[in-house]
Amino acid sequence: MNKQQLLLQERFNEKIKFSEEYLNKYGRDWYQGLIPSPIAIFFPENEEDVTDIIDFASKNKLKIVISGGRTGLNGGATATDGEIVLSTEKLNKIQWDEENNEVICQPGVITDNAKKFVEEKGRFLPIEFSSTSSSSIGGNVATNAAGAKFIKYGSTKDHVTGINVILPSGKKIQLSKRSLKDATGPNLMEIFYGSEGVLGLITLITLKTYPIMDFKETILIKANNLNTVQSKLINKKNGLISSLEFWDKNCHALTGGEVDSDYIILLELVSQEKKEIEKFLENISEKFGDPVSLLNSKQASKMWSARENIPVLLSDMNAYKLDICVPIKSLQKYLEDINALNLGVKIFAFGHLGDGNVHLNLVGDKKINESKNKIYEVTKIHSGSPSAEHGIGQRKKYIWTTFSDYSDKHELLKTLKKSIDPENIMGPKVFFD
Amino acid sequence: MNKQQLLLQERFNEKIKFSEEYLNKYGRDWYQGLIPSPIAIFFPENEEDVTDIIDFASKNKLKIVISGGRTGLNGGATATDGEIVLSTEKLNKIQWDEENNEVICQPGVITDNAKKFVEEKGRFLPIEFSSTSSSSIGGNVATNAAGAKFIKYGSTKDHVTGINVILPSGKKIQLSKRSLKDATGPNLMEIFYGSEGVLGLITLITLKTYPIMDFKETILIKANNLNTVQSKLINKKNGLISSLEFWDKNCHALTGGEVDSDYIILLELVSQEKKEIEKFLENISEKFGDPVSLLNSKQASKMWSARENIPVLLSDMNAYKLDICVPIKSLQKYLEDINALNLGVKIFAFGHLGDGNVHLNLVGDKKINESKNKIYEVTKIHSGSPSAEHGIGQRKKYIWTTFSDYSDKHELLKTLKKSIDPENIMGPKVFFD
């Protein structure tokens, strides 16, 4: 152990770990492109531990990387330069606020544990994406995680009514917004949504929950054009649609499906009144020229499994993943424009039709980087986001310069970071070089 | 003219005014509790004029107060201490983006002019409250103005897809969010919503517009308890309800109405499909024990006029106005708790049932201040906001200390302000002492 490690051990005892096993496991997130190199892994058990480690880091010129469920894809939680990793793993208490139907979580609560806890209270927490079995609620808030239920429930921030944050100065603050209207200056909780741990550690999160929907149906639509489906379904915001996923024929072939349309669309309807869904179903067949089938529970389960399996199969193929969002009405044209590029790589597209978020997966031996750049050019023309769900972390910092629309935001973010973390103690390599 | 005024005149010529008439008119907003005392009124005609005046102010240790339609109620646009007032009046260009159905406004565009312009394009801009004939779009964004259509369309920020801002440093920045999902750090447009001109001048605003609804109906409900109406109407987010206003029997008597219930509720339904409204109407009578009437257009117009007339009548009575928002489900209990205080003043309550925003008006010869404080105590218990729509300005700065829940927010806001406006050039008396 070096001198700093010895000092850390002396100060924090059992709460800090230095073994290779810990450094390798907790030193990185899912992104494989960076080599972890932390000096220690710290497991705070309460807020005092957090302020203690900040104090220590500040006095010893050390940096802190906050780590939750380590499911990030862009190295936002990877310590590459001798930082102390602050794992929220032991900050995992969860409470129920009966009066307000809200769940109060410490940041290390695993998303699925929170969802299960809420379900046991007869309510629903609509944070749903593929890594919720490992991701943490703190990470969900700090990245404003979205996912399949966005169309009905929005992203994580839409559920938050209050957060406690320990700032990089060690100061603990409480922010909340319990009323729908609150014109007391800007809503400053917003700066922490998507902050990826560079503006402080969120130590407590209060989340709204929602009624469980008693009735659910899944509909399969085979379509050759996404626009018709979108215009017929999405403009009608009746609250029945809880998921609206799509994948292209390349993805469909990959899952072993029979390819007889350009796109597969899977639509989930939920309601507390059966007749609402029935009415919707009555109308839907008339509306669509495309084949529409109502799936029984076995068929539905099979199709949702197929959907979930797509990214796994693509990972096995070593696909290069792009995470794009374009304005919903542009999605069809955007995909046409991408295909018209004739990139010389195979493209697999799947995503969320309700919000314009498409995960483009490129498979090929070469031309990947060139293809990515060409796709980004088309993304700019369509005013799209180059990181819809997965953040910036360390890996995607090139976005600030590649996408000139983001350069002013980057500068402003730097100003905020400097004002809140003048010593650059937290997440020193995230967002900024 | 003093020396600074002479320098200003020399530099800005016809674009700057010093006469008493101008200083009095443009030196204040609607709040009467502050005496205006600006040194000049500046009317920039383009962005260069704005950076010029910032440069001048910075070099000459002068401050700038941004002024839009001057309809604010808390002195946010009142210059009390020799500031230069920057009026956006001549920054009033408006453009249409046909492809995206968006309206692009300079900040001085009068809200009603923007609404009319959008209507001529066959679209709808849902910013609706009593002062839209004078308020400006820039002011609407900088205060995140809400109003009667909040229940269906949200507040002003929910329509914004892009803003240009000239920061207090003179730097011009562009921020936008055109995709529904964009995980490139926090959405920093948020810090300008509700910033009341202290973080920069918003020089260009792009706003989404919405389809015009072909069918509209107004329903009158006489109720003795707001909870039943809320639970039956609001939890059902079907997008048909565009306004849901209420007022109490004291307000109703004031408008000359016959009082036979504790509350009057006025519900506006809109849709592009007549049968959707008809279905809703079919159900509504069964659902309510309370008397429900469908109004014809003449009756509806009369009731909406009555609603709009309430604040005017209360102003004539010199009522003390409180602008509270509580969680929707607490509204009935909140009003009961207020009445149980037996304050010795007459209370008139009206507001927006769809979001929990109630305008409490106190009428009495004395006990106003004592009553206000007691009401604020009850507001805290209900986790309410003491300024739902009207901002902080200079008048409501006491909120930061009266409501301890806001003290951390205040400190953080101060940190942001210092980082963006270190010389405190813009809105020097707003938010902070």
Side-chain angles (χ1 to χ4, degrees), chain A residues 194-235:
Chain A
S195 65
E196 301 192 31
V198 312
L199 299 179
L201 174 68
I202 301 166
T203 55
L204 204 67
I205 302 120
T206 308
L207 297 159
K208 280 187 282 190
T209 64
Y210 301 81
I212 291 174
M213 294 292 160
D214 296 327
F215 302 96
K216 189 189 285 187
E217 295 289 356
T218 299
I219 291 161
L220 177 74
I221 302 170
K222 297 187 173 187
N224 292 316
N225 190 310
L226 299 173
N227 280 345
T228 46
V229 180
Q230 283 177 324
S231 61
K232 279 167 187 155
L233 288 176
I234 301 172
N235 291 338

Side-chain angles (χ1 to χ4, degrees), chain A residues 173-174 178-179 181-186 191 193-194 236 276 325 352 355 357 385 387 389 391 406 408-409 419, chain B residues 173-174 179 181-186 191 193-194 236 276 325 352 355 357 383 385 387-389 391 406 408-409 419:
Chain A
I173 64 168
Q174 292 195 332
R178 301 191 71 88
S179 305
K181 287 181 183 168
D182 182 22
T184 56
I191 68 171
Y193 305 141
K236 221 170 138 46
E276 278 197 331
C325 194
H352 316 293
D355 51 46
N357 180 193
S385 167
S387 187
E389 297 185 319
Y406 288 96
D408 287 345
K409 176 176 180 174
S419 71
Chain B
I173 64 168
Q174 293 196 331
S179 305
K181 286 182 184 168
D182 182 22
T184 57
I191 67 171
Y193 305 141
K236 218 169 140 50
E276 278 197 331
C325 194
H352 316 293
D355 51 47
N357 179 194
S383 303
S385 167
S387 187
E389 298 186 318
Y406 288 96
D408 288 343
K409 175 176 180 174
S419 70

